[in-house]
């Protein structure tokens, strides 16, 4: 830990500051070098497409280097006295820095194999580490960067095993603005998840404040670093619950030197049409039910029929090439039995019919020319259309939701009469082109689209707040990761949608990964112990089987304020009290109460912003949008109103109560539901 003798400490700080200056100069040279590569690359004599690809890659690299955020270039150091690195010292930071490519690194990337000891070494298992050093940073005098202000040494080879003050300060640092990376504070159990193999899918059941979202993002960064070519081929997708959440996490990967990762919502991924219609809640729940997958499959393949097969007769001069009806029907039935995607099956039928005709021609006059084969392929198309017609997903879904006969046939044995009636459009459109698609309809369209032709997949998909996905939404994600892997993040206790998962086993089955390991994270590093204790009281009333969280933070504050007269006045008072402390303030209320709360804060002269303004000191957030967000101080307004706002209101309240990382004040007039 920090030396009691100030002279060695001062000398060590001086040397480390000098090293940081060297790193800063080397990084500037790396940025300049990347830009020079662009100029040279654009002047190479490569031809056409090769030159364009090379230029794009170089420009992308230079842009990434230029856009690296300001901040400390290292946060730790490892001095080894054993193992393969004996006698070596390495500074650990967010990216590798060297004076030239062949030179030893001034800073090693936190994802490099040697860096793992920074997170995993302990007094009981030093892993060859003699000293682990942590660095403390504070905003610089110019505001442009940060100054190195302190350091701590853990002499692991001597058996030292103490809590780090620097680590605690970093974890508890006030949270104004977007989510920060946790590269400096990753804990051993988090590191195990971060460094998991690319080919292995994993589900993280993370209690509030355990860092599950940060773990997922750092796992993404680790995979991009470790398997760049494989990820580049397949791509990586980060799926969040909404745009507010994605804005909150948007800077984490760039801060770790990773750009070009698609961060999206599932609705954006499947949004082939604008959402213009609305379903009543029971109908939306039904459309998200997994039974709809089979209903849609039946509706699509009802269009395929070998019984409609006719004898194929293709004239060529005075001769007709014939395929008997029975042979044609056998081809159709054979392809159906193979269960390919609908469009692939249609093409297989056409190809096999042409092959049948080609075999006849070869027996008669030898191999025909390619032009003849293409002519036959065109000639058989009308016959294929009759038994395996071309179709769009919109046609299938619109017909299913408009025609009671089609729905009855597709839903027989799956949907009862009332459910079928609920699915039918009250006023069917004249055609699918004029349909007003609802959000749930887009899930149905994606299902049929996936049956017709598999969507392009990703090498790895990180799914956050996965407990809120419906079975049909899970299937949409599974289609995009058929040949890739998944990192599934969530908390069953925070499931707030009508179709939220009750068990991970069921959810992982819908995601196509029934064998994925479920790893619980129960140790909270962000949420104070008093707040976790209150949340655990509510957890016992929820219909999920998850372990209670525990917190390593004995600090923080929990206050419950009962409004004696007027609720909104008490809310204003609570917000003013929170503003007397350092950090961000989140005011969270039931969605319907938001206008009243905003009016009261405005009238009191308290500047307040919406959830999308990440730099605001005071943010007013509806309970429906607060999932995944964190604030130093939270004012939770009238818990009873939040709890009764919807079917899973107690789960919504659980989310609200666990957003505070320093202090929580519950303001109420009505009896508390916990």
């Amino acid at each position: 830990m920090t030396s009691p003798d100030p002279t060695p400490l001062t000398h060590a700080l001086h040397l480390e500051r000098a090293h940081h200056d060297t790193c800063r100069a080397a990084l500037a040279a790396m940025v300049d070098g990347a830009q020079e590569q662009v100029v040279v690359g654009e002047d190479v004599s490569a031809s056409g497409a090769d030159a364009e690809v090379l230029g794009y890659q170089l420009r992308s690299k230079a842009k990434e280097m230029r856009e690296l955020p300001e901040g400390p270039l290292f946060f730790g150091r490892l001095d080894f006295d054993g193992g393969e690195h004996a006698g070596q010292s390495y500074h650990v930071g967010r990216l590798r820095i060297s004076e030239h490519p062949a030179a030893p690194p001034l800073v090693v990337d936190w994802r490099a194999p040697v860096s793992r000891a920074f997170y995993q070494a302990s007094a009981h298992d030093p892993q060859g580490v003699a000293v682990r050093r942590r660095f403390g940073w504070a905003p610089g005098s110019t505001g442009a960067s940060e100054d190195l202000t302190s350091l701590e040494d853990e002499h692991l080879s001597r058996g030292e095993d103490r809590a780090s003050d620097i680590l605690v300060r970093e974890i508890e640092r006030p949270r104004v603005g977007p989510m920060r990376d946790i590269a400096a504070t990753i804990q051993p159990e988090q590191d195990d998840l971060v460094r998991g193999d690319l080919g292995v899918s994993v589900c993280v059941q993370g209690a509030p404040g355990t860092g599950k979202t940060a773990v997922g993002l750092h796992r993404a960064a680790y995979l991009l670093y470790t398997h760049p070519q494989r990820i580049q081929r397949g791509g990586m997708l980060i799926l969040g619950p909404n745009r507010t959440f994605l804005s909150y996490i948007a800077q984490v990967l760039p801060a770790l030197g990773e750009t070009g990762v698609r961060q999206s919502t599932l609705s954006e991924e499947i949004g082939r049409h604008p959402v213009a219609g609305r379903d009543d809640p029971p109908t939306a729940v039904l459309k998200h039910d997994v039974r709809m997958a089979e209903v849609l499959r039946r509706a699509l393949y009802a269009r395929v029929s070998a019984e409609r097969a006719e004898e194929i007769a293709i004239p060529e001069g005075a001769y007709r090439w014939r395929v008997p009806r029975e042979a044609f029907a056998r081809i159709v039935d054979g392809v159906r039995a193979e269960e390919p995607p609908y469009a692939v099956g249609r093409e297989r039928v056409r190809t096999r019919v042409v092959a049948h005709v080609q075999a006849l021609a070869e027996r008669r006059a030898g191999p025909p020319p390619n032009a003849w084969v293409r002519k036959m392929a065109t000639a058989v198309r009308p016959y294929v259309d009759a038994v395996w017609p071309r179709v769009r997903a919109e046609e299938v879904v619109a017909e299913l939701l408009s025609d009671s006969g089609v729905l009855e046939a597709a839903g027989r044995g799956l949907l009862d009469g009332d459910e079928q009636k609920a699915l039918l459009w009250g006023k069917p459109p004249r055609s699918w082109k004029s349909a007003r698609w609802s959000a749930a309809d887009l899930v149905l369209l994606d299902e049929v689209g996936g049956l017709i032709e598999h969507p392009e997949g990703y090498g790895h998909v990180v799914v956050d707040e996965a407990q809120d996905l419906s079975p049909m939404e899970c299937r949409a994600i599974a289609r995009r990761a058929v040949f890739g892997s998944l990192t599934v993040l969530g908390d069953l206790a925070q499931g707030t949608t009508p179709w939220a998962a009750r068990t991970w086993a069921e959810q992982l089955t819908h995601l196509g990964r029934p064998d994925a390991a479920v790893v619980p994270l129960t140790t909270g590093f962000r949420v104070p112990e008093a707040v976790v204790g209150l949340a655990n009281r509510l957890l016992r009333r929820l219909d999920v089987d998850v372990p209670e969280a525990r917190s390593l933070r004995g600090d923080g504050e929990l206050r419950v304020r009962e409004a004696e007269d007027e609720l909104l006045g008490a809310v204003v008072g609570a917000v003013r009290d929170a503003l007397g402390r350092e950090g961000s303030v989140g005011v969270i209320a039931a969605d319907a109460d938001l206008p009243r709360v905003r009016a009261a804060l405005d009238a009191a002269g308290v500047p307040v912003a919406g959830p999308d303004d990440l730099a605001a000191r005071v943010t007013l957030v509806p309970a429906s949008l607060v999932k995944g967000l964190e604030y130093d101080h939270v004012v939770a307004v009238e818990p009873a109103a939040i709890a009764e706002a919807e079917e899973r209101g107690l789960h919504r309240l659980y989310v609200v109560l666990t957003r505070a990382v320093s202090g929580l004040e519950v303001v109420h007039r009505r009896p508390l539901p916990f």
Side-chain angles (χ1 to χ4, degrees):
M1 302 298 289
T2 305
S3 170
D5 182 351
T7 303
L9 174 62
T10 301
H11 181 64
L13 277 172
H14 175 75
L15 293 177
E16 296 292 5
R17 286 168 181 158
H19 184 72
H20 194 260
D21 290 340
T22 301
C23 294
R24 183 68 68 189
L27 178 61
M30 290 168 63
V31 173
D32 292 341
Q35 186 59 45
E36 289 174 7
Q37 283 185 301
V38 173
V39 175
V40 173
E42 291 177 342
D43 194 38
V44 296
S45 58
S47 63
D50 291 340
E52 184 176 346
V53 170
L54 176 61
Y56 172 79
Q57 291 174 340
L58 292 175
R59 286 192 299 273
S60 297
K61 177 183 177 184
K63 182 174 183 291
E64 291 173 13
M65 294 291 292
R66 288 195 307 272
E67 293 180 354
L68 285 171
E70 287 280 345
L73 298 182
F74 53 79
F75 49 77
R77 182 175 126 176
L78 294 170
D79 296 341
F80 287 88
D81 64 356
E84 62 177 304
H85 301 287
Q88 300 294 315
S89 293
Y90 302 95
H91 285 78
V92 181
R94 288 167 178 80
L95 73 161
R96 186 184 192 275
I97 299 173
S98 62
E99 293 178 306
H100 57 83
L106 297 169
V107 177
V108 297
D109 195 295
W110 66 276
R111 296 164 288 187
V114 69
S115 300
R116 184 163 197 179
F118 183 78
Y119 305 107
Q120 295 283 354
S122 66
H124 302 292
D125 181 19
Q127 300 184 18
V129 177
V131 180
R132 173 169 52 206
R133 174 170 288 179
R134 298 183 189 272
F135 298 99
W137 301 83
S141 56
T142 64
S145 60
E146 297 195 22
D147 291 338
L148 177 56
T149 58
S150 61
L151 59 84
E152 292 176 345
D153 286 345
E154 294 175 82
H155 295 270
L156 300 182
S157 60
R158 299 180 191 170
E160 285 188 1
D161 185 12
R162 309 178 195 174
S164 164
D165 292 336
I166 286 177
L167 181 64
V168 170
R169 287 200 301 270
E170 175 62 24
I171 289 175
E172 297 179 359
R173 187 152 55 108
R175 305 185 66 81
V176 175
M179 184 181 187
R180 301 189 301 263
D181 70 85
I182 62 165
T185 62
I186 293 172
Q187 299 299 295
E189 62 270 31
Q190 296 173 326
D191 186 66
D192 288 335
L193 291 166
V194 166
R195 296 176 191 265
D197 187 78
L198 171 62
V200 176
S201 294
V202 64
C203 173
V204 180
Q205 160 57 44
T210 56
K212 60 181 177 296
T213 296
V215 165
L217 294 172
H218 286 68
R219 174 163 163 74
Y222 174 79
L223 294 177
L224 287 162
Y225 173 88
T226 310
H227 308 283
Q229 293 182 336
R230 290 172 63 185
I231 294 295
Q232 189 175 30
R233 284 197 301 269
M236 179 174 285
L237 175 65
I238 309 291
L239 281 177
N242 52 60
R243 269 287 141 194
T244 298
F245 177 83
L246 290 175
S247 297
Y248 178 60
I249 69 170
Q251 296 305 310
V252 173
L253 288 176
L256 298 171
E258 300 295 348
T259 59
V261 176
R262 181 167 176 77
Q263 299 191 29
S264 184
T265 65
L266 183 60
S267 60
E268 291 170 350
E269 291 298 296
I270 67 175
R272 50 199 293 160
H273 294 284
V275 174
R278 288 181 61 86
D279 292 312
D280 59 57
T283 300
V285 170
L286 182 56
K287 289 180 178 179
H288 280 276
D289 193 296
V290 72
R291 292 175 295 165
M292 290 302 299
E294 176 61 18
V295 172
L296 293 166
R297 191 196 67 79
R298 291 180 183 177
L300 173 62
Y301 282 95
R303 296 168 180 262
V304 177
S305 175
E307 295 179 0
R308 293 197 294 268
E310 298 178 354
E311 180 185 66
I312 297 175
I314 304 173
E316 187 178 31
Y319 190 78
R320 289 180 179 270
W321 300 103
R322 298 181 183 277
V323 179
R325 178 192 175 284
E326 294 78 9
F328 186 21
R330 282 197 300 272
I331 289 173
V332 175
D333 285 337
V335 172
R336 270 295 300 270
E338 295 166 6
E339 299 184 348
Y342 186 93
V344 173
R346 173 184 158 81
E347 184 58 28
R348 283 185 190 173
V349 170
R350 187 171 74 97
T351 300
R352 292 177 189 180
V353 170
V354 171
H356 184 98
V357 177
Q358 186 174 349
L360 296 176
E362 289 175 351
R363 287 198 295 269
R364 189 167 187 233
N370 290 337
W372 182 91
V373 176
R374 290 194 295 270
K375 177 183 175 182
M376 290 298 109
T378 300
V380 304
R381 186 169 290 132
Y383 295 96
V384 175
D385 287 342
V387 297
W388 202 302
R390 191 186 305 273
V391 69
R392 299 176 60 104
E394 289 83 354
E395 296 174 84
V396 176
V397 176
E399 183 181 59
L400 183 74
L401 302 182
S402 301
D403 189 318
S404 59
V406 171
L407 180 57
E408 195 281 328
R412 188 174 298 122
L414 293 170
L415 305 173
D416 62 31
D418 290 338
E419 289 173 324
Q420 293 180 31
K421 185 177 179 180
L423 285 173
L424 287 170
W425 282 334
K427 294 182 179 180
R430 298 182 66 177
S431 78
W432 67 265
K433 295 180 180 179
S434 58
R436 294 174 58 84
W437 304 105
S438 69
D441 290 336
L442 299 186
V443 180
L444 305 184
L445 290 171
D446 193 75
E447 179 75 24
V448 179
L451 291 170
I452 294 173
E453 191 169 11
H454 289 319
E456 188 173 337
Y458 291 88
H460 191 76
V461 182
V462 178
V463 190
D464 209 344
E465 303 298 350
Q467 76 283 344
D468 276 332
L469 296 169
S470 73
M472 294 295 284
E473 289 174 324
C474 287
R475 291 175 60 86
I477 294 170
R479 282 190 291 276
R480 288 159 173 81
V482 172
F483 302 108
S485 53
L486 295 175
T487 296
V488 181
L489 311 169
D491 179 7
L492 296 176
Q494 296 185 55
T496 55
T497 58
W499 41 76
R502 266 63 175 181
T503 69
W504 283 119
E506 182 180 6
Q507 198 77 334
L508 289 169
T509 297
H510 295 316
L511 284 165
R513 298 295 188 279
D515 298 326
V518 179
V519 181
L521 289 179
T522 58
T523 302
F525 305 99
R526 297 294 302 167
V527 183
E529 183 178 24
V531 176
V532 169
L534 177 66
N536 282 339
R537 282 169 48 192
L538 181 58
L539 178 64
R540 298 168 196 137
R541 295 189 56 192
L542 306 183
D543 56 343
V544 290
D545 183 16
V546 299
E548 290 188 354
R550 65 187 186 92
S551 176
L552 293 183
R553 293 184 55 186
D555 65 332
E557 185 178 17
L558 171 65
R559 296 177 62 187
V560 178
R561 180 185 300 213
E562 183 174 3
E564 297 180 358
D565 297 314
E566 209 272 319
L567 176 70
L568 296 178
V571 170
V572 171
V575 173
R576 284 179 170 154
D577 287 348
L579 285 171
R581 301 171 176 84
E582 186 181 8
S584 59
V585 180
V587 184
I588 310 173
D591 293 36
D593 290 342
L594 232 62
R596 297 170 51 236
V597 176
R598 177 177 287 278
L601 292 171
D602 288 343
V606 177
V608 62
D612 292 330
D613 187 350
L614 300 177
R617 184 75 198 285
V618 181
T619 304
L620 179 60
V621 194
S624 62
L625 279 182
V626 77
K627 190 174 298 180
L629 306 181
E630 288 182 339
Y631 302 93
D632 287 290
H633 308 281
V634 165
V635 177
V637 181
E638 198 63 275
I642 296 172
E644 68 187 16
E646 54 185 283
E647 176 188 349
R648 292 175 66 84
L650 284 177
H651 292 260
R652 180 81 71 196
L653 179 59
Y654 181 81
V655 173
V656 170
L657 296 180
T658 53
R659 299 305 94 199
V661 297
S662 290
L664 169 66
E665 182 153 0
V666 177
V667 182
H668 71 103
R669 283 200 68 190
R670 299 168 56 187
L672 293 172
F674 49 79

